Amino acid sequence: MKRSLQETSVEEAHSMGKKLEDDNMDEFLSALGYKVRSSDMADVAQKLEQLEVVLSNDDVLGSNALNDTVHYNPSDLSGWAETMLSELNYYPDLDPTRMCNLTQFPDDNECSSTTTSNNSSKRIRLGPWCDSLSSESTRQTVVMPCVDSQETGVRLVQALVACAEAVQRENLILADALVKRVGSLAASQAGAMGKVATYFAEALARRIYRIHPPSAAAAVDPSLEEILQMHFYESCPYLKFAHFTANQAILEAVATARGVHVIDLGLSQGMQWPALMQALALRPGGSPSFRLTGVGGLSEGDGIQMLGWKLAQLARAIGVEFEFKGLTVERLTDLEPNVFETRPESETLVVNSVFELHPLLARPGSIEKLLATVKAVKPSIVTVVEQEANHNGAVFLERFNEALHYYSSLFDSLEDGLILQSQDRVMSEVYLGRQILNVVAAEGTDRIERHETLDQWRKRLGSAGFDPVSLGSDAFKQASLLLALSGGGDGYRVEESDGSLMLAWQTKPLIAASAWKVSDAAAEWRR
């Protein structure tokens, strides 16, 4: 009997230990089948960044080093990344930023760092992922005694702009010296400015030394971007504002419809649609039928179908008649009107785009082709959300200055979050840092973060045969309420701009939401 009790205690202890281990797993990664403890998030993100840099090397991609390894959807993400780095003969001392001399700087009496493993004080510069992804354990190991100061911040911005000017003039010797100076100043700058400067320094270094950002073909895992986006969604109200505002416009457009068909040009994790479905379920007089056509990339087919199944489960639970169809394409320009199988006699059609239009500007004629397709299916309303920035200019220095101002505001808003968990902030910074690398270091069709302002989109959509639809005062009030409930800090504000809504941090608009309909002249002509 005693032995039996002991065995039971052991089993209970094992079960309790297993439960505690499961509770410590990051909930977003667990939902995608990855086992990563919340405390290990920074280390995993660092390994994935390192692996992405290695895989972007043409020698690696062209070799047979990857042939005998399973690269898709590992459950142990940390162990998989470490194994990959080992098999690809990755050596941390030879990463691109160290080759660019961004990690070591001579003493200039401005800042020093001390490691617990060495009694001597020396100047060091961590790689970009170490600076922005440093975990609590890293902070205990590396002590930066210098504090944030306005003077250092001004000098840091001046050095960044001077380096960008040298890059534009193709004075690479001067640019080399300045980018090292930027790294030195960023290491001594605390807070958001130091973090954003680190990403811009890496982007400038990649441009100077022709170390191009990893392309989509060299991505570690197609789901990495989705993981980062989910953490960004939880970190700050930008994506929530985008989804909420678009949903409000959709609900007003389908107020009396008995059937609703939404075409989502970028389904991703489908985070926008549960809230809309619940709102439809509560509509007086009963819910309309809801059909969702979700568009994604060629590698997202299985994930899209799984998402459709989950949405179907939700629809059944709340009593909404639901139909789902997933479409996978290499580019949005591959879409043709007939693939959507519209039913104009029984459904009100909506087209939704959240951050999906600007990448098309990388290829001439692409945005015109997609807008022509959208117009051909005759939607009742088109909802568009885009970054409120001009990162598509032909002059590099102007694009750089705009990006520096824009992303500084974004990083500042993350830093000021009232209830932001450390892992959400870390992954959100990586999410934004990847955009910075693309805006600054990439060119041609590889540069897809070609954000444009609302005024520029008004011209494009107007030329394509669309008229603006006012989002109304109710949308403004409810978006303001959403911000108040999100607890993201006092710096956010909703602004109205000629019937469209913007989400701003302090005085800087960062996200713009607008609604459109096919112009009466274009509709009459099509008849």
Side-chain angles (χ1 to χ4, degrees):
M1 185 69 175
K2 184 175 180 180
R3 181 178 179 182
S4 176
L5 288 173
Q6 288 176 339
E7 290 175 351
T8 302
S9 298
V10 170
E11 291 174 358
E12 290 176 349
H14 177 74
S15 176
M16 183 178 297
K18 183 70 168 61
K19 183 179 185 302
L20 288 172
E21 180 179 350
D22 291 342
D23 289 343
N24 288 329
M25 294 297 174
D26 181 85
E27 57 181 318
F28 297 118
L29 296 180
S30 295
L32 292 174
Y34 298 105
K35 296 180 180 179
V36 181
R37 293 184 180 86
S38 297
S39 58
D40 295 337
M41 291 291 290
D43 180 62
V44 171
Q46 175 185 343
K47 289 177 181 177
L48 291 175
E49 286 278 347
Q50 293 170 346
L51 183 56
E52 188 172 28
V53 170
V54 175
L55 289 176
S56 67
N57 187 304
D58 290 338
D59 293 337
V60 173
L61 291 175
S63 70
N64 295 322
L66 308 180
N67 290 348
D68 300 325
T69 309
V70 176
H71 304 288
Y72 183 72
N73 200 28
S75 60
D76 180 9
L77 198 58
S78 177
W80 172 78
E82 188 170 351
T83 300
M84 287 285 291
L85 288 169
S86 174
E87 292 184 359
L88 294 172
N89 298 319
Y90 170 75
Y91 301 98
D93 291 337
L94 296 180
D95 70 53
T97 54
R98 285 174 170 79
M99 289 189 287
C100 298
N101 292 324
L102 286 180
T103 55
Q104 298 278 348
F105 296 95
D107 282 323
D108 55 9
N109 296 321
E110 291 180 0
C111 182
S112 63
S113 62
T114 306
T115 63
T116 57
S117 61
N118 194 332
N119 293 328
S120 61
S121 178
K122 63 180 182 178
R123 294 281 295 117
I124 69 168
R125 177 74 174 94
L126 300 177
W129 41 72
C130 296
D131 278 336
S132 58
L133 307 177
S134 58
S135 62
E136 292 300 323
S137 60
T138 305
R139 294 191 187 100
Q140 294 171 1
T141 303
V142 181
V143 181
M144 303 297 292
C146 292
V147 297
D148 192 358
S149 69
Q150 184 175 359
E151 180 183 356
T152 304
V154 171
R155 289 158 56 202
L156 179 55
V157 172
Q158 290 173 340
L160 279 167
V161 175
C163 184
E165 289 177 345
V167 169
Q168 179 163 297
R169 296 196 306 267
E170 298 185 356
N171 186 343
L172 299 186
I173 295 177
L174 176 60
D176 171 72
L178 288 169
V179 80
K180 294 173 184 177
R181 178 63 174 166
V182 169
S184 177
L185 291 171
S188 63
Q189 179 76 8
M193 190 62 229
K195 294 176 181 178
V196 75
T198 298
Y199 277 108
F200 274 93
E202 181 188 356
L204 286 168
R206 287 178 178 275
R207 193 175 181 97
I208 293 167
Y209 303 108
R210 305 292 193 271
I211 306 172
H212 300 294
S215 63
V220 176
D221 191 309
S223 62
L224 174 60
E225 190 72 16
E226 295 178 0
I227 294 170
L228 297 177
Q229 188 183 69
M230 283 192 293
H231 282 278
F232 185 69
Y233 181 88
E234 291 298 321
S235 300
C236 48
Y238 297 111
L239 284 175
K240 296 184 184 74
F241 168 83
H243 294 164
F244 178 85
T245 307
N247 282 350
Q248 284 299 115
I250 294 170
L251 287 171
E252 292 182 14
V254 302
T256 60
R258 299 312 306 164
V260 178
H261 180 196
V262 173
I263 298 172
D264 188 354
L265 296 179
L267 185 61
S268 187
Q269 293 297 303
M271 294 177 284
Q272 180 174 347
W273 305 120
L276 180 70
M277 293 168 65
Q278 290 169 347
L280 292 175
L282 296 174
R283 197 174 77 173
S287 169
S289 63
F290 180 57
R291 183 158 67 106
L292 177 62
T293 299
V295 181
L298 294 178
S299 62
E300 302 176 63
D302 292 340
I304 287 177
Q305 295 306 318
M306 177 61 70
L307 177 58
W309 180 81
K310 291 179 179 178
L311 291 174
Q313 296 291 101
L314 172 63
R316 187 177 298 111
I318 62 178
V320 174
E321 182 183 341
F322 179 72
E323 186 178 341
F324 178 82
K325 179 180 180 180
L327 297 175
T328 57
V329 292
E330 184 177 0
R331 299 185 183 92
L332 289 178
T333 49
D334 294 336
L335 293 170
E336 297 294 341
N338 62 304
V339 301
F340 299 115
E341 301 176 358
T342 59
R343 304 164 191 169
E345 69 285 349
S346 60
E347 294 177 335
T348 298
L349 180 63
V350 175
V351 176
N352 181 77
S353 172
V354 177
F355 305 147
E356 294 298 328
L357 298 186
H358 67 263
L360 297 175
L361 301 177
R363 297 177 182 272
S366 293
I367 188 67
E368 293 80 7
K369 169 65 167 60
L370 177 65
L371 293 179
T373 298
V374 171
K375 187 167 64 174
V377 298
K378 303 178 183 178
S380 295
I381 192 169
V382 179
T383 50
V384 175
V385 181
E386 285 289 337
Q387 291 87 344
E388 179 61 12
N390 184 14
H391 299 152
N392 193 33
V395 180
F396 169 74
L397 183 59
E398 294 177 359
R399 189 167 77 239
F400 180 90
N401 287 335
E402 171 71 17
L404 181 59
H405 188 195
Y406 182 83
Y407 285 102
S408 294
S409 296
L410 276 172
F411 271 71
D412 186 52
S413 69
L414 290 177
E415 200 75 13
D416 198 61
L418 297 179
I419 56 174
L420 188 57
Q421 298 183 19
S422 59
Q423 64 264 33
D424 283 333
R425 179 185 288 115
V426 164
M427 300 298 270
S428 296
E429 290 166 355
V430 175
Y431 175 76
L432 297 175
R434 290 160 65 89
Q435 294 181 16
I436 292 172
L437 295 184
N438 189 266
V439 171
V440 176
E443 284 297 349
T445 57
D446 289 333
R447 181 161 62 86
I448 60 172
E449 300 296 345
R450 294 174 176 261
H451 313 137
E452 291 193 338
T453 64
L454 179 58
D455 285 341
Q456 291 171 300
W457 285 115
R458 282 176 176 147
K459 293 177 182 177
R460 290 186 181 277
L461 287 158
S463 299
F466 292 89
D467 289 335
V469 176
S470 177
L471 294 177
S473 59
D474 287 343
F476 177 88
K477 293 176 183 177
Q478 295 192 42
S480 299
L481 178 61
L482 171 70
L483 290 183
L485 296 175
S486 68
D490 297 329
Y492 295 105
R493 53 188 295 183
V494 179
E495 298 179 356
E496 193 274 339
S497 174
D498 295 330
S500 300
L501 295 182
M502 295 183 179
L503 178 58
W505 171 253
Q506 306 297 355
T507 60
K508 174 68 174 174
L510 298 173
I511 301 294
S514 59
W516 303 83
K517 65 177 182 178
V518 178
S519 67
D520 295 335
E524 186 66 29
W525 179 83
R526 291 193 65 81
R527 289 176 189 160

